Amino acid sequence: MPKPLAQSSATPAPEGGAFARRWSGYAGIFFDEFATDSAWIREVGTIRLPPLDSCPAVVLHGEFRPHPAATGLERTPPTLACAVNGTTVGQIEAAPKSWQISLPLPADAATRPAVVTLKLGGVAFTNFLAWLGRMTGWSFWQRFRAQHKNRQLRLLRLTTVDGEVIYDFGNRHAPYAPAFARRHARLGLNVVGFMTADLGIGESARGMVRAADAAQLPTALIDLKLNVKTSRGDRSYAERLVADPDQPVSVFHLDPPAARDIDHHHGKRFRAGRYNIGYWAWELPEFPDAWVTYCEYFDEIWCPSDFVREAIAMQSPVPVLTMPHAITVTPPSESINQLRARFDLPPDRLLFLFLYDLNSYSPRKNPTAVIEAFRRSGLAAEGAALVIKTHGAKGNEADLAALRDAVSDMAETRLIAETLSRADLTALESACDVFVSLHRSEGFGFAVAECMALGKPVIATDWSATAEFLNATNGCPVRSQLIELEQNVGPYAKGQRWAEPDVAHAAAEMRRLAADPALRTRLGEAARHTVKQRFAPQVIGARYRRRLEAIAMR
């Protein structure tokens, strides 16, 4: 997780989070055993419609059904007055057994969900008697408490003018029709993030765009105006950037504390009236208590791995789901020798690559373990070399100096401390033979997954998110033991736990791969297959679509 910037003072989460928006729903409508294929209204019922495109009206279907227990005052069935957004549009009198009424919708029903209000008439006196029975307990009034008069007017379904069912009150467990929601839901995403930033959280947002495109989901791409320390040099989607959201669901790729600054930078209406999702990563088993309040800005949270989901879900008052990153890499067309020449790498050595962002906290990324493992392997004397790529030196000068000092006696080690474009980073990964990540914890492991997608064998700590997709069949998982943090490391608090990888085991895996080119090929191909099967944009995009359909049924 990148180091957070100083944030402004926290402010209460206004409209737009914590389930502030619902597309559909009903109230004041009840089910009973008298007529299980329909529902009744106690006095006033409301039905909230989803956004409806090209639908001038909806049709309410119902019937009058005599209640066998209704006697005296209750025998006359009630009337029904219907209104849309507060405007009366029609009334039903006690007449034929079956009835229907067309309810015209306002012109903006496609963008502003309409509310249908249904009010029973002719029930005031019997409802008063029911109240009197509840309050006094007198046996004479008890029969009115069942409200048999009200129950005689039955709601069957609400449909479009073409007969397509929107609400089926015969299905008391889920009256809002799933088939209608799936067919007519306006599915689309506002992808809000550091769209141009050269860092992992920026790639998180760009990967979501690729997955949404693969699933043919409409998107609006919005570059967060929040401050970010790294450069904004990735122009992959520059031509598609817009200022304002125009889709019903917004996904915000940011660190949790940054949620409180969204409204300050983008305006209070930016989240209002939309279903808002926070896309969060976290790298330890326990989510910070102090960050739970940031859930209030969102209706649900998405995470890149089950490891992250389990940590956040234990604390979050809103739903938390796993939505992995979409991984796609385009191998460069140059030969290995051409690629190595581009980065001034030795052409004839077996190259082990490690890369990380200094803003993601060196103790977590653990470069010293990679250096020590390579040193112990003794492979430098046998024609191998270590390549370390890092960036984010500004503000982390001490960490970079310590890294330089750690490799000062390793003549063949190549240290690249600069920001590379996405294409150049892929080229560097392609130029090397093995990727190594002896991290203490990962929320996903972008570099691990990308190198696997390129068909590279990967040596990685067998703990946290990377352990969900790297195993002995497609890579080299390294044994580890969990240890407690002895001091705070950025947001990672003293007393929390993370992994300490077995450096000797990692060194042995380096030697095993160096001695067996066929093994490197076999593991690399298995790794490529794993990433394609689990993290291809089409696969992840299909997950988005299924979730958006479910959200649309709310």
Side-chain angles (χ1 to χ4, degrees), residues 213-273:
D213 287 350
Q216 298 183 325
L217 290 171
T219 55
L221 314 188
I222 301 168
D223 205 11
L224 270 173
K225 297 178 182 178
L226 281 65
N227 296 325
V228 63
K229 292 178 69 173
T230 192
S231 62
R232 292 180 179 258
D234 194 306
R235 311 300 294 172
S236 303
Y237 294 108
E239 294 183 358
R240 291 175 57 179
L241 295 179
V242 297
D244 298 307
D246 63 11
Q247 300 299 325
V249 177
S250 296
V251 184
F252 294 80
H253 294 253
L254 38 62
D255 295 335
R260 60 191 175 191
D261 284 346
I262 295 171
D263 296 346
H264 173 73
H265 288 279
H266 288 270
K268 291 186 176 181
R269 296 195 59 80
F270 192 76
R271 293 182 304 116

Side-chain angles (χ1 to χ4, degrees), residues 203 210 325-332 422 425-427 429-435 444-459 469-470 474-475 520-537:
E203 186 58 24
R210 290 191 288 270
H325 293 304
I327 301 297
T328 179
V329 292
T330 303
R422 172 54 46 184
L425 191 59
T426 301
E429 292 168 339
S430 300
C432 298
D433 300 290
V434 180
F435 184 74
F444 180 73
F446 258 126
V448 170
E450 288 171 351
C451 287
M452 289 175 69
L454 288 168
K456 303 294 179 179
V458 174
I459 300 171
F469 56 90
L470 186 140
N474 60 15
R520 297 200 300 269
T521 300
R522 185 168 69 253
L523 291 177
E525 285 305 310
R528 192 199 314 271
H529 176 74
T530 295
V531 172
K532 182 177 181 181
Q533 185 180 52
R534 296 186 56 176
F535 305 134

